[in-house]
Amino acid sequence: MSARRGPAEEEEEELDGGPGLAYMPFVVMDDLLDKLKLLGYDKDFLVELKMKPLSRHYFALQTNPGEQFYLFTSLSAWLIRKTGRNMEQPQEYDDPNSTVSNILDHLRQLGIAVDFPPNKLKVGYGEHAIFVLDRLADFALKQDNFLWKKPIYPAEDTGGEDGEVKDEAELTLDKVEEEMMAEYDDDDEEENILHMDDLKDLTAQKDGDAWPDEILHSNTTSEEWRLELERVLPQLKVTIRSDTRDWRSHIEQMHEHRSKINETLNFTQKQLDGLHSEISRSLEKISSREKYLNGQLEPLLLEYRNLQNVAAESREQYRVVSTKLVEKSHELAQISDELDRVKHEMEERGSSMTDGTPLVNIRKALTRVRQEITAMDVRIGVVEQKLLQAKLKDKSNMQRDMNAPVYNNMDMGLF
């Protein structure tokens, strides 16, 4: 098998070769379909996916990108499995980037140079998709040990004593004219039409017997002849065929056409001259009316331009004022909020000043404080009284101890 070039090389060759290389994907797609048939895709792949057979230019033209991408990935996976490798069948909801990257990884492992970005395959059609499928099909055929045989050309027939080859493509002008006349005669032939050429054959042989030389006498009466004539009269039609190659008929037609053209031209020329003069007068009137209108409308146009300038200035001022109005509206909203807050505070203070509940609470609190002070004074007096009694008692005890007699230790004993 001959090595194929990549899409990038084909693009370079297209720039150098000519516009015919733009149709190369159609040719490669045709070869690819033949290779798929050799691999038996119609019995294996199509039956498995329950799909219709691919057309000759399915991946060369854009029809349905989603369907084309799904068939491209499925067919690539099937061809990769045909090469002896393992790749799962892609699903419709799989990530396109991962599926394309898996296919390109298998291509690189097979030794196929990939010199185009992966997003070229995400569309599902085009020369890059056909290139990938074609290379995978080549490797699948190689895995099946398929070999392309040399073509066997049929032997060409030679004729003539000198062995010259007969060239049937070379036809003389006479032969072409004869064929055209034969086709013309076949197309114009109709049923139940008697031509002048057919009348010449009356002297020829009929049913293998020659006409007798003597005069034939008929036994048919004149009345029978009239009835037969009335019967066949609608079917009789004599036409005289004119030879299309006769120059005399053409030149006569040319003279007739020329005379008709001259007659028509004289009448038409007068009408055209009158129309031309009328159009010229109308154009002159239009131009003069246009000049008059321009002169009359010039002041109005100047006033209109001035009004347009004034309107433009007014629109600009309106825009500036509108901007300032929006700013002032925002400031007014802020001031209104602040005013509402101050009013709320003033209402709270006014309600608190007119309300006597705090004063009553203060008076109650002062009463409780006085009561507590009185109770505290009583307690202080009680405590002072007890302290005074304790001091007096201690003083009386001290005096008693001081006034008590002192006894001898020998007599009293030791304490």
Side-chain angles (χ1 to χ4, degrees):
M1 292 185 294
S2 62
R4 294 184 180 274
R5 293 182 294 270
E9 298 178 359
E10 292 181 358
E11 291 179 0
E12 294 178 359
E13 186 176 355
E14 180 179 353
L15 294 175
D16 299 335
L21 291 178
Y23 301 95
M24 186 57 64
F26 296 91
V27 179
V28 180
M29 179 64 201
D30 198 1
D31 296 340
L32 172 63
L33 196 59
D34 294 335
K35 295 175 184 179
L36 293 176
K37 290 180 180 179
L38 292 175
L39 292 171
Y41 93 110
D42 50 351
K43 298 180 181 179
D44 188 5
F45 177 74
L46 295 179
V47 174
E48 180 181 354
L49 294 181
K50 298 180 181 180
M51 300 291 294
K52 295 181 180 180
L54 302 178
S55 61
R56 284 285 178 183
H57 310 302
Y58 183 78
F59 290 110
L61 299 173
Q62 180 183 4
T63 55
N64 187 351
E67 179 184 352
Q68 285 179 314
F69 179 73
Y70 175 68
L71 279 177
F72 165 71
T73 55
S74 301
L75 192 57
S76 300
W78 181 74
L79 291 173
I80 289 171
R81 291 195 296 270
K82 278 287 186 180
T83 58
R85 298 178 176 274
N86 185 17
M87 182 175 179
E88 297 181 357
Q89 174 67 27
Q91 302 298 326
E92 294 184 2
Y93 302 102
D94 291 346
D95 186 13
N97 296 320
S98 61
T99 304
V100 170
S101 63
N102 291 334
I103 294 173
L104 293 179
D105 290 339
H106 285 286
L107 285 175
R108 294 187 183 94
Q109 292 175 6
L110 291 173
I112 302 174
V114 180
D115 54 355
F116 54 86
N119 57 1
K120 294 288 186 180
L121 301 178
K122 292 174 66 176
V123 295
Y125 70 94
E127 57 178 348
H128 301 91
I130 296 174
F131 169 75
V132 172
L133 293 174
D134 187 63
R135 295 312 307 272
L136 290 176
D138 291 339
F139 277 93
L141 290 173
K142 186 177 180 181
Q143 183 69 22
D144 291 344
N145 297 324
F146 178 83
L147 297 176
W148 295 97
K149 296 181 181 180
K150 293 183 178 180
I152 300 175
Y153 300 99
E156 298 180 355
D157 296 334
T158 58
E161 297 178 357
D162 299 335
E164 296 179 356
V165 179
K166 294 182 178 180
D167 190 359
E168 297 182 356
E170 296 181 359
L171 298 177
T172 60
L173 181 61
D174 295 336
K175 188 179 294 184
V176 173
E177 293 179 352
E178 290 176 1
E179 292 179 356
M180 293 176 62
M181 287 299 300
E183 294 178 358
Y184 179 78
D185 294 341
D186 294 339
D187 294 338
D188 291 344
E189 187 173 341
E190 299 178 359
E191 295 181 356
N192 299 324
I193 296 177
L194 182 62
H195 302 283
M196 294 299 295
D197 296 338
D198 297 335
L199 297 177
K200 299 178 181 179
D201 298 335
L202 293 177
T203 58
Q205 295 181 354
K206 182 180 180 182
D207 298 333
D209 297 333
W211 290 96
D213 296 333
E214 65 274 6
I215 299 175
L216 296 178
H217 296 280
S218 176
N219 297 325
T220 307
T221 62
S222 60
E223 202 56 43
E224 292 177 354
W225 273 109
R226 291 191 188 95
L227 294 175
E228 184 67 18
L229 180 60
E230 291 177 359
R231 186 181 65 84
V232 300
L233 185 60
Q235 300 179 2
L236 295 178
K237 184 179 179 182
V238 179
T239 58
I240 301 175
R241 296 180 182 176
S242 61
D243 191 359
T244 57
R245 293 177 294 177
D246 190 4
W247 61 272
R248 295 180 182 84
S249 61
H250 291 295
I251 197 168
E252 290 177 357
Q253 292 178 357
M254 290 171 62
H255 286 304
E256 292 177 359
H257 293 322
R258 182 177 180 178
S259 61
K260 291 180 180 178
I261 289 172
N262 291 331
E263 294 176 358
T264 309
L265 181 61
N266 293 329
F267 176 72
T268 309
Q269 187 70 33
K270 295 179 181 178
Q271 292 183 345
L272 292 175
D273 292 339
L275 186 61
H276 179 266
S277 60
E278 185 177 355
I279 292 174
S280 300
R281 288 193 298 270
S282 300
L283 290 175
E284 291 177 358
K285 290 180 181 179
I286 291 171
S287 61
S288 62
R289 180 63 63 178
E290 185 178 358
K291 292 178 181 178
Y292 174 75
L293 291 176
N294 289 333
Q296 292 293 328
L297 295 176
E298 186 66 25
L300 297 176
L301 291 175
L302 293 175
E303 185 180 358
Y304 176 71
R305 294 192 186 96
N306 296 328
L307 291 176
Q308 279 187 334
N309 296 330
V310 173
E313 294 176 357
S314 300
R315 283 194 293 269
E316 183 66 22
Q317 293 177 359
Y318 174 76
R319 187 182 62 81
V320 174
V321 171
S322 298
T323 305
K324 293 181 179 180
L325 179 62
V326 172
E327 295 177 356
K328 296 298 182 181
S329 298
H330 290 304
E331 293 180 1
L332 178 61
Q334 294 177 358
I335 293 172
S336 298
D337 295 337
E338 184 69 20
L339 180 60
D340 293 338
R341 186 179 62 80
V342 172
K343 285 182 178 180
H344 183 67
E345 291 180 357
M346 291 177 65
E347 289 176 358
E348 289 182 353
R349 290 182 181 179
S351 61
S352 62
M353 290 174 64
T354 57
D355 191 7
T357 304
L359 183 60
V360 174
N361 293 332
I362 292 172
R363 290 177 180 176
K364 289 181 180 179
L366 289 174
T367 305
R368 285 197 301 270
V369 169
R370 290 192 186 96
Q371 292 176 359
E372 289 178 358
I373 290 172
T374 304
M376 187 63 68
D377 292 338
V378 172
R379 289 181 182 179
I380 291 172
V382 172
V383 171
E384 288 179 350
Q385 182 65 28
K386 288 182 179 180
L387 182 60
L388 180 59
Q389 289 179 0
K391 288 181 178 180
L392 292 174
K393 188 177 181 180
D394 291 339
K395 187 176 181 179
S396 60
N397 291 332
M398 186 179 297
Q399 290 178 0
R400 187 180 59 196
D401 291 338
M402 290 176 60
N403 296 325
V406 178
Y407 297 97
N408 193 2
N409 291 336
M410 295 300 294
D411 295 333
M412 295 299 292
L414 295 171
F415 288 101

